[in-house]
Coordinates of all heavy atoms in Angstrom, one line a residue:
M296 N 15.6 -11.1 20.9 CA 16.3 -10.7 19.7 C 15.2 -10.1 18.8 O 14.2 -10.7 18.5 CB 16.9 -11.9 19.0 CG 17.5 -11.6 17.7 SD 18.1 -13.0 16.8 CE 19.5 -13.5 17.8
S297 N 15.4 -8.9 18.4 CA 14.4 -8.2 17.5 C 14.8 -8.5 16.0 O 16.0 -8.5 15.7 CB 14.4 -6.7 17.8 OG 15.6 -6.1 17.4
K298 N 13.8 -8.6 15.2 CA 13.9 -8.8 13.8 C 14.0 -7.5 13.1 O 13.2 -6.6 13.4 CB 12.8 -9.7 13.3 CG 12.9 -10.1 11.9 CD 11.7 -11.0 11.6 CE 11.8 -11.6 10.2 NZ 10.7 -12.4 9.8
E299 N 14.9 -7.3 12.2 CA 15.1 -6.1 11.5 C 13.9 -6.0 10.5 O 13.4 -7.0 9.9 CB 16.3 -6.1 10.6 CG 17.6 -6.0 11.5 CD 17.8 -4.7 12.1 OE1 17.4 -3.7 11.6 OE2 18.3 -4.7 13.3
R300 N 13.3 -4.8 10.4 CA 12.2 -4.5 9.5 C 12.6 -4.7 8.1 O 11.9 -5.3 7.3 CB 11.6 -3.2 9.7 CG 10.5 -2.9 8.8 CD 9.8 -1.6 9.0 NE 8.8 -1.4 7.9 CZ 8.2 -0.3 7.7 NH1 8.4 0.8 8.5 NH2 7.3 -0.2 6.7
F301 N 13.7 -4.1 7.7 CA 14.2 -4.1 6.3 C 15.5 -5.0 6.2 O 16.4 -4.9 7.0 CB 14.5 -2.7 5.8 CG 13.4 -1.7 5.9 CD1 13.5 -0.6 6.6 CD2 12.2 -2.0 5.2 CE1 12.4 0.3 6.6 CE2 11.1 -1.1 5.2 CZ 11.2 0.0 5.9
V302 N 15.5 -5.8 5.2 CA 16.6 -6.7 4.9 C 17.0 -6.6 3.5 O 16.2 -6.6 2.6 CB 16.3 -8.2 5.3 CG1 17.4 -9.1 5.0 CG2 15.8 -8.3 6.7
L303 N 18.3 -6.5 3.2 CA 18.8 -6.5 1.8 C 19.8 -7.7 1.7 O 20.7 -7.8 2.5 CB 19.6 -5.2 1.5 CG 20.1 -5.0 0.1 CD1 19.0 -5.0 -0.9 CD2 20.9 -3.8 0.0
Q304 N 19.5 -8.5 0.6 CA 20.4 -9.6 0.4 C 20.7 -9.7 -1.1 O 19.9 -9.3 -2.0 CB 19.6 -10.9 0.8 CG 19.2 -11.0 2.2 CD 18.3 -12.2 2.5 OE1 17.3 -12.3 1.9 NE2 18.8 -13.0 3.4
P305 N 21.8 -10.3 -1.5 CA 22.1 -10.6 -2.9 C 21.0 -11.5 -3.5 O 20.6 -12.4 -2.8 CB 23.5 -11.2 -2.9 CG 24.0 -11.0 -1.6 CD 22.9 -10.8 -0.6
S306 N 20.7 -11.3 -4.7 CA 19.7 -12.2 -5.4 C 20.3 -13.5 -5.7 O 21.5 -13.5 -6.2 CB 19.2 -11.5 -6.6 OG 18.3 -12.3 -7.4
K307 N 19.6 -14.6 -5.6 CA 20.1 -15.9 -5.9 C 19.7 -16.2 -7.4 O 20.3 -17.0 -8.0 CB 19.4 -16.9 -5.0 CG 19.9 -16.8 -3.6 CD 19.2 -17.8 -2.7 CE 19.7 -17.7 -1.3 NZ 19.0 -18.5 -0.3
E308 N 18.7 -15.5 -7.9 CA 18.3 -15.7 -9.3 C 18.9 -14.7 -10.3 O 19.0 -15.0 -11.5 CB 16.7 -15.7 -9.4 CG 16.0 -16.8 -8.7 CD 15.6 -16.5 -7.3 OE1 15.3 -15.3 -7.0 OE2 15.6 -17.4 -6.5
M309 N 19.2 -13.5 -9.9 CA 19.6 -12.4 -10.8 C 21.1 -12.1 -10.5 O 21.4 -11.7 -9.5 CB 18.7 -11.2 -10.6 CG 19.0 -10.1 -11.5 SD 18.2 -8.5 -11.1 CE 16.6 -9.0 -10.4
Q310 N 21.9 -12.3 -11.5 CA 23.3 -11.9 -11.4 C 23.4 -10.4 -11.2 O 22.7 -9.7 -12.0 CB 24.0 -12.4 -12.7 CG 25.5 -12.1 -12.6 CD 26.3 -12.6 -13.8 OE1 25.7 -13.2 -14.7 NE2 27.6 -12.3 -13.8
D311 N 24.1 -10.0 -10.3 CA 24.3 -8.6 -10.0 C 23.0 -7.9 -9.5 O 22.7 -6.8 -9.8 CB 24.9 -7.8 -11.2 CG 25.7 -6.6 -10.7 OD1 26.1 -6.5 -9.6 OD2 25.8 -5.6 -11.5
G312 N 22.1 -8.7 -8.9 CA 20.9 -8.2 -8.4 C 20.7 -8.3 -6.9 O 21.5 -8.9 -6.2
W313 N 19.7 -7.6 -6.4 CA 19.4 -7.5 -5.0 C 18.0 -7.8 -4.7 O 17.1 -7.5 -5.5 CB 19.8 -6.1 -4.5 CG 21.3 -5.8 -4.6 CD1 21.9 -5.1 -5.6 CD2 22.3 -6.2 -3.7 NE1 23.3 -5.1 -5.4 CE2 23.5 -5.8 -4.2 CE3 22.3 -6.9 -2.5 CZ2 24.7 -6.0 -3.6 CZ3 23.5 -7.2 -1.9 CH2 24.7 -6.7 -2.4
V314 N 17.7 -8.2 -3.5 CA 16.4 -8.5 -3.0 C 16.2 -7.7 -1.7 O 17.0 -8.0 -0.7 CB 16.1 -10.0 -2.7 CG1 14.7 -10.2 -2.2 CG2 16.3 -10.8 -4.0
A315 N 15.3 -6.8 -1.6 CA 15.1 -6.0 -0.4 C 13.7 -6.4 0.1 O 12.7 -6.5 -0.6 CB 15.1 -4.5 -0.7
T316 N 13.6 -6.7 1.4 CA 12.4 -7.2 2.0 C 12.0 -6.3 3.2 O 12.8 -5.9 4.0 CB 12.6 -8.6 2.5 OG1 13.1 -9.4 1.5 CG2 11.3 -9.2 3.1
D317 N 10.7 -6.0 3.2 CA 10.1 -5.3 4.4 C 9.4 -6.4 5.1 O 8.3 -6.9 4.7 CB 9.1 -4.2 3.9 CG 8.4 -3.5 5.0 OD1 8.3 -4.1 6.1 OD2 7.8 -2.5 4.8
T318 N 10.0 -6.9 6.2 CA 9.4 -8.0 6.9 C 8.2 -7.7 7.7 O 7.4 -8.5 8.0 CB 10.5 -8.5 7.9 OG1 10.8 -7.5 8.9 CG2 11.7 -9.0 7.2
E319 N 8.0 -6.4 8.0 CA 6.8 -6.0 8.7 C 5.5 -6.0 7.8 O 4.4 -6.4 8.2 CB 7.0 -4.6 9.3 CG 5.9 -4.1 10.1 CD 6.2 -2.7 10.7 OE1 7.2 -2.6 11.5 OE2 5.5 -1.7 10.4
N320 N 5.7 -5.5 6.6 CA 4.6 -5.4 5.6 C 4.5 -6.5 4.6 O 3.6 -6.5 3.7 CB 4.6 -4.0 4.9 CG 4.3 -2.9 5.9 OD1 3.3 -2.9 6.5 ND2 5.3 -2.0 6.1
G321 N 5.6 -7.4 4.5 CA 5.6 -8.4 3.6 C 5.7 -8.0 2.1 O 5.0 -8.4 1.2
I322 N 6.6 -7.1 1.9 CA 6.9 -6.5 0.5 C 8.3 -6.9 0.1 O 9.3 -6.7 0.9 CB 6.8 -5.0 0.5 CG1 5.4 -4.6 1.0 CG2 7.1 -4.4 -0.9 CD1 4.2 -5.0 0.1
V323 N 8.5 -7.4 -1.1 CA 9.8 -7.7 -1.6 C 10.1 -6.8 -2.9 O 9.2 -6.8 -3.8 CB 10.0 -9.2 -2.0 CG1 11.3 -9.5 -2.6 CG2 9.8 -10.0 -0.7
L324 N 11.2 -6.2 -2.9 CA 11.6 -5.4 -4.1 C 12.9 -6.1 -4.7 O 13.8 -6.3 -3.9 CB 11.9 -4.0 -3.8 CG 10.8 -3.1 -3.3 CD1 11.3 -1.7 -3.0 CD2 9.6 -3.1 -4.2
R325 N 12.9 -6.4 -6.0 CA 14.0 -7.0 -6.6 C 14.5 -6.0 -7.7 O 13.7 -5.4 -8.4 CB 13.7 -8.3 -7.3 CG 13.3 -9.4 -6.4 CD 12.8 -10.6 -7.1 NE 12.5 -11.7 -6.2 CZ 11.4 -11.9 -5.6 NH1 10.4 -11.0 -5.7 NH2 11.2 -12.9 -4.8
F326 N 15.9 -5.8 -7.7 CA 16.4 -4.8 -8.7 C 17.9 -5.2 -9.0 O 18.5 -5.9 -8.2 CB 16.3 -3.4 -8.1 CG 17.1 -3.2 -6.8 CD1 18.4 -2.6 -6.9 CD2 16.6 -3.5 -5.6 CE1 19.1 -2.4 -5.7 CE2 17.3 -3.3 -4.4 CZ 18.5 -2.7 -4.5
E327 N 18.3 -4.7 -10.1 CA 19.7 -4.8 -10.5 C 20.6 -3.8 -9.9 O 20.1 -2.6 -9.7 CB 19.8 -4.7 -12.1 CG 19.3 -5.9 -12.8 CD 19.5 -5.7 -14.3 OE1 20.6 -5.3 -14.7 OE2 18.6 -6.0 -15.1
N328 N 21.8 -4.1 -9.6 CA 22.7 -3.2 -9.0 C 22.9 -1.9 -9.8 O 23.1 -2.0 -11.0 CB 24.1 -3.9 -8.9 CG 25.0 -3.3 -7.8 OD1 24.6 -2.9 -6.8 ND2 26.3 -3.2 -8.1
H329 N 22.8 -0.8 -9.2 CA 22.9 0.5 -9.8 C 21.8 0.9 -10.8 O 21.9 1.9 -11.5 CB 24.2 0.7 -10.5 CG 25.4 0.4 -9.6 ND1 25.7 1.2 -8.5 CD2 26.4 -0.5 -9.7 CE1 26.8 0.7 -7.9 NE2 27.2 -0.3 -8.6
K330 N 20.7 0.1 -10.9 CA 19.6 0.3 -11.8 C 18.3 0.2 -11.2 O 17.3 -0.3 -11.8 CB 19.7 -0.7 -13.0 CG 21.0 -0.6 -13.8 CD 21.0 -1.6 -14.9 CE 22.3 -1.6 -15.7 NZ 22.4 -2.7 -16.7
F331 N 18.1 0.7 -10.0 CA 16.9 0.5 -9.2 C 15.7 1.1 -10.0 O 14.7 0.3 -10.2 CB 17.0 1.2 -7.9 CG 15.8 1.1 -7.0 CD1 15.6 0.0 -6.2 CD2 14.8 2.1 -7.0 CE1 14.5 -0.2 -5.4 CE2 13.7 1.9 -6.2 CZ 13.5 0.8 -5.4
N332 N 15.7 2.3 -10.4 CA 14.6 2.9 -11.1 C 14.2 2.2 -12.4 O 13.0 2.2 -12.7 CB 14.8 4.4 -11.3 CG 14.8 5.2 -10.1 OD1 14.2 4.8 -9.1 ND2 15.5 6.3 -10.1
D333 N 15.1 1.6 -13.0 CA 14.8 1.0 -14.3 C 14.4 -0.5 -14.2 O 13.8 -1.0 -15.1 CB 16.0 1.1 -15.3 CG 16.4 2.5 -15.6 OD1 15.4 3.3 -15.7 OD2 17.6 2.8 -15.8
T334 N 14.8 -1.1 -13.1 CA 14.6 -2.6 -13.0 C 13.8 -3.1 -11.8 O 13.5 -4.3 -11.7 CB 16.0 -3.3 -13.0 OG1 16.7 -2.9 -11.8 CG2 16.8 -3.0 -14.2
V335 N 13.4 -2.2 -10.9 CA 12.7 -2.7 -9.7 C 11.4 -3.4 -10.0 O 10.6 -3.0 -10.9 CB 12.5 -1.5 -8.7 CG1 11.4 -0.5 -9.3 CG2 12.0 -2.0 -7.4
R336 N 11.2 -4.5 -9.3 CA 10.0 -5.3 -9.4 C 9.5 -5.5 -8.0 O 10.3 -5.9 -7.1 CB 10.2 -6.6 -10.1 CG 10.7 -6.5 -11.5 CD 9.5 -6.0 -12.4 NE 10.0 -5.8 -13.8 CZ 10.4 -4.7 -14.4 NH1 10.4 -3.6 -13.6 NH2 10.8 -4.6 -15.6
C337 N 8.2 -5.3 -7.7 CA 7.6 -5.5 -6.4 C 6.8 -6.8 -6.3 O 6.0 -7.1 -7.2 CB 6.8 -4.3 -6.0 SG 6.0 -4.5 -4.5
T338 N 6.9 -7.5 -5.2 CA 6.1 -8.6 -5.0 C 5.6 -8.6 -3.5 O 6.3 -8.6 -2.6 CB 6.9 -10.0 -5.1 OG1 7.5 -10.0 -6.4 CG2 6.0 -11.2 -4.9
P339 N 4.2 -8.4 -3.4 CA 3.7 -8.5 -2.0 C 3.6 -10.0 -1.5 O 3.2 -10.8 -2.3 CB 2.3 -7.9 -2.1 CG 2.0 -7.8 -3.6 CD 3.2 -8.1 -4.4
L340 N 4.0 -10.2 -0.3 CA 3.9 -11.5 0.3 C 2.7 -11.6 1.1 O 2.6 -10.9 2.2 CB 5.2 -11.8 1.1 CG 6.5 -11.7 0.4 CD1 7.7 -11.9 1.4 CD2 6.6 -12.7 -0.7
L341 N 1.7 -12.3 0.7 CA 0.4 -12.3 1.5 C 0.6 -13.2 2.7 O 0.0 -14.3 2.7 CB -0.7 -12.8 0.5 CG -0.8 -12.0 -0.8 CD1 -1.9 -12.6 -1.6 CD2 -1.1 -10.5 -0.5
T342 N 1.3 -12.7 3.7 CA 1.6 -13.5 4.9 C 0.4 -13.7 5.8 O 0.3 -14.8 6.4 CB 2.7 -12.9 5.7 OG1 2.4 -11.6 6.0 CG2 4.0 -12.9 4.9
D343 N -0.5 -12.8 5.8 CA -1.7 -12.9 6.7 C -2.9 -13.3 5.9 O -4.0 -13.2 6.5 CB -1.9 -11.7 7.5 CG -2.2 -10.4 6.7 OD1 -2.2 -10.5 5.4 OD2 -2.3 -9.3 7.3
G344 N -2.8 -13.6 4.6 CA -3.9 -14.0 3.8 C -4.7 -12.8 3.3 O -5.7 -13.0 2.6
R345 N -4.4 -11.6 3.7 CA -5.1 -10.4 3.2 C -4.3 -9.6 2.2 O -3.1 -9.3 2.5 CB -5.4 -9.5 4.5 CG -6.2 -8.3 4.2 CD -6.3 -7.4 5.4 NE -5.1 -6.8 5.8 CZ -4.6 -5.7 5.3 NH1 -5.3 -5.0 4.4 NH2 -3.5 -5.2 5.7
E346 N -4.9 -9.2 1.1 CA -4.2 -8.4 0.1 C -4.1 -7.0 0.6 O -5.2 -6.5 1.0 CB -4.9 -8.5 -1.2 CG -4.1 -8.0 -2.3 CD -4.7 -8.3 -3.7 OE1 -5.2 -9.4 -3.8 OE2 -4.6 -7.5 -4.6
P347 N -3.0 -6.3 0.5 CA -2.9 -4.9 1.0 C -3.7 -4.0 0.1 O -3.8 -4.3 -1.1 CB -1.4 -4.6 0.9 CG -0.9 -5.6 -0.1 CD -1.7 -6.8 0.0
T348 N -4.2 -2.9 0.6 CA -4.8 -1.9 -0.2 C -3.8 -1.2 -1.0 O -2.6 -1.3 -0.7 CB -5.6 -0.9 0.7 OG1 -4.6 -0.1 1.4 CG2 -6.6 -1.5 1.6
A349 N -4.2 -0.4 -2.0 CA -3.3 0.3 -2.8 C -2.5 1.3 -2.0 O -1.3 1.5 -2.2 CB -4.0 1.0 -4.0
I350 N -3.1 2.0 -1.1 CA -2.4 2.9 -0.2 C -1.4 2.2 0.7 O -0.3 2.7 0.8 CB -3.4 3.7 0.7 CG1 -4.3 4.6 -0.2 CG2 -2.7 4.6 1.7 CD1 -3.6 5.7 -1.0
E351 N -1.8 1.1 1.3 CA -0.8 0.4 2.1 C 0.4 -0.1 1.3 O 1.5 0.0 1.8 CB -1.5 -0.9 2.7 CG -2.6 -0.5 3.8 CD -3.4 -1.7 4.2 OE1 -3.6 -2.7 3.5 OE2 -3.9 -1.6 5.3
L352 N 0.1 -0.6 0.1 CA 1.2 -1.1 -0.7 C 2.1 0.0 -1.1 O 3.3 -0.1 -1.1 CB 0.6 -1.8 -2.0 CG 1.6 -2.5 -2.9 CD1 2.4 -3.6 -2.2 CD2 0.9 -3.1 -4.1
A353 N 1.5 1.2 -1.6 CA 2.3 2.3 -2.0 C 3.2 2.8 -0.9 O 4.4 3.2 -1.0 CB 1.4 3.4 -2.6
T354 N 2.6 2.9 0.3 CA 3.3 3.4 1.5 C 4.5 2.5 1.8 O 5.6 2.9 2.1 CB 2.4 3.6 2.7 OG1 1.4 4.5 2.4 CG2 3.1 4.1 3.9
A355 N 4.2 1.2 1.9 CA 5.3 0.2 2.2 C 6.4 0.3 1.2 O 7.6 0.2 1.5 CB 4.7 -1.2 2.3
I356 N 6.1 0.4 -0.1 CA 7.1 0.5 -1.2 C 7.9 1.7 -1.0 O 9.2 1.7 -1.1 CB 6.5 0.4 -2.6 CG1 5.9 -1.0 -2.8 CG2 7.5 0.8 -3.6 CD1 5.0 -1.1 -4.1
R357 N 7.3 2.8 -0.7 CA 8.0 4.1 -0.5 C 8.9 4.0 0.7 O 10.1 4.4 0.6 CB 7.0 5.3 -0.3 CG 7.8 6.6 -0.1 CD 6.8 7.7 0.3 NE 5.9 7.5 1.3 CZ 6.3 7.5 2.6 NH1 7.5 7.7 3.0 NH2 5.4 7.2 3.6
E358 N 8.5 3.4 1.8 CA 9.3 3.3 3.0 C 10.5 2.4 2.7 O 11.6 2.8 3.2 CB 8.5 2.8 4.1 CG 7.5 3.8 4.6 CD 6.5 3.3 5.7 OE1 6.5 2.1 5.9 OE2 5.7 4.1 6.2
L359 N 10.3 1.4 2.0 CA 11.4 0.5 1.7 C 12.4 1.1 0.7 O 13.6 1.1 0.9 CB 10.9 -0.9 1.1 CG 11.9 -1.9 0.8 CD1 12.9 -2.2 1.9 CD2 11.2 -3.2 0.4
A360 N 11.9 1.8 -0.3 CA 12.8 2.5 -1.2 C 13.5 3.7 -0.5 O 14.7 3.9 -0.8 CB 11.9 3.1 -2.4
D361 N 12.9 4.4 0.4 CA 13.6 5.4 1.2 C 14.7 4.8 2.0 O 15.8 5.4 2.0 CB 12.6 6.1 2.1 CG 11.6 7.1 1.4 OD1 11.8 7.3 0.2 OD2 10.7 7.5 2.1
W362 N 14.5 3.7 2.6 CA 15.5 3.0 3.4 C 16.7 2.6 2.5 O 17.8 2.8 2.9 CB 14.9 1.8 4.1 CG 16.0 1.0 4.9 CD1 16.5 1.3 6.1 CD2 16.6 -0.2 4.4 NE1 17.4 0.3 6.4 CE2 17.5 -0.6 5.4 CE3 16.4 -1.0 3.3 CZ2 18.2 -1.8 5.3 CZ3 17.2 -2.1 3.2 CH2 18.1 -2.5 4.2
L363 N 16.4 2.1 1.3 CA 17.4 1.7 0.4 C 18.2 2.9 0.0 O 19.5 2.8 0.0 CB 16.8 1.0 -0.8 CG 16.3 -0.4 -0.7 CD1 15.5 -0.8 -1.9 CD2 17.5 -1.4 -0.5
R364 N 17.6 4.0 -0.3 CA 18.3 5.2 -0.7 C 19.2 5.7 0.4 O 20.3 6.2 0.1 CB 17.3 6.3 -1.2 CG 17.9 7.5 -1.8 CD 17.0 8.6 -2.0 NE 16.5 9.2 -0.8 CZ 15.3 9.2 -0.3 NH1 14.3 8.5 -1.0 NH2 14.9 9.7 0.8
E365 N 18.7 5.7 1.6 CA 19.5 6.2 2.7 C 20.6 5.3 3.2 O 21.7 5.7 3.5 CB 18.5 6.5 3.9 CG 17.6 7.6 3.7 CD 16.5 7.7 4.7 OE1 16.6 7.0 5.8 OE2 15.5 8.4 4.5
E366 N 20.3 4.0 3.2 CA 21.3 3.0 3.7 C 22.2 2.3 2.7 O 23.2 1.7 3.0 CB 20.6 2.0 4.6 CG 19.8 2.6 5.8 CD 20.7 3.2 6.8 OE1 21.8 2.7 7.0 OE2 20.2 4.2 7.4
H367 N 21.7 2.2 1.5 CA 22.4 1.4 0.4 C 22.4 2.2 -0.9 O 22.3 1.6 -2.0 CB 21.7 0.1 0.3 CG 21.7 -0.7 1.5 ND1 22.9 -1.4 1.9 CD2 20.8 -0.9 2.5 CE1 22.6 -2.0 3.1 NE2 21.3 -1.8 3.4
K368 N 22.7 3.4 -0.8 CA 22.8 4.3 -2.0 C 23.8 3.7 -3.1 O 23.5 3.8 -4.3 CB 23.3 5.7 -1.6 CG 23.2 6.7 -2.7 CD 23.6 8.1 -2.2 CE 22.7 9.1 -2.6 NZ 23.0 10.4 -2.0
D369 N 24.8 3.1 -2.6 CA 25.8 2.5 -3.5 C 25.3 1.3 -4.4 O 25.9 1.0 -5.4 CB 27.1 2.0 -2.7 CG 26.7 1.0 -1.7 OD1 25.7 1.1 -1.0 OD2 27.5 0.0 -1.6
K370 N 24.2 0.7 -3.9 CA 23.6 -0.4 -4.7 C 22.4 0.1 -5.6 O 22.1 -0.5 -6.6 CB 23.1 -1.5 -3.7 CG 24.3 -2.1 -3.0 CD 23.8 -3.0 -1.9 CE 25.0 -3.7 -1.2 NZ 25.9 -2.8 -0.5
V371 N 21.8 1.2 -5.1 CA 20.6 1.7 -5.8 C 20.9 2.5 -7.0 O 20.4 2.4 -8.1 CB 19.7 2.5 -4.8 CG1 18.6 3.1 -5.6 CG2 19.2 1.6 -3.7
F372 N 21.9 3.4 -6.9 CA 22.3 4.4 -8.0 C 23.6 4.0 -8.6 O 24.4 3.5 -8.0 CB 22.3 5.8 -7.4 CG 21.0 6.3 -6.8 CD1 20.8 6.5 -5.5 CD2 19.9 6.5 -7.6 CE1 19.6 6.9 -4.9 CE2 18.7 6.9 -7.1 CZ 18.6 7.1 -5.8

């Protein structure tokens, strides 16, 4: 069974919010429904004990945001 790289789940803490996770890079984006650009917050999960470089973090965030835009446009915009 393969694990999906990107996962989107309803937020348990934020009413009308979403939690998007990049399981490969350990990045979590939290945002309000239809307000991605105004409310997005990023949290790196230091799963391997190593902090990502700025380039690695920026690339992972962009890839996750691109996936959200392509697959879940109705929640982002």
Side-chain angles (χ1 to χ4, degrees):
M296 177 187 288
S297 68
K298 186 176 183 182
E299 293 291 325
R300 176 177 175 191
F301 300 124
V302 178
L303 181 64
Q304 300 172 305
S306 174
K307 293 177 182 172
E308 290 95 30
M309 184 188 328
Q310 183 177 358
D311 206 24
W313 295 97
V314 178
T316 305
D317 177 342
T318 61
E319 186 177 297
N320 292 299
I322 302 294
V323 174
L324 299 181
R325 292 175 177 83
F326 62 96
E327 287 183 42
N328 201 39
H329 305 296
K330 298 178 183 176
F331 181 83
N332 290 334
D333 296 329
T334 63
V335 68
R336 298 291 178 262
C337 177
T338 305
L340 304 174
L341 305 177
T342 55
D343 62 1
R345 183 184 69 83
E346 191 167 327
T348 66
I350 295 294
E351 290 170 335
L352 186 59
T354 300
I356 292 169
R357 180 188 49 78
E358 290 172 352
L359 182 51
D361 287 349
W362 174 79
L363 284 167
R364 186 186 71 248
E365 292 169 14
E366 301 295 327
H367 298 282
K368 189 180 225 176
D369 60 318
K370 294 170 180 64
V371 173
F372 300 111

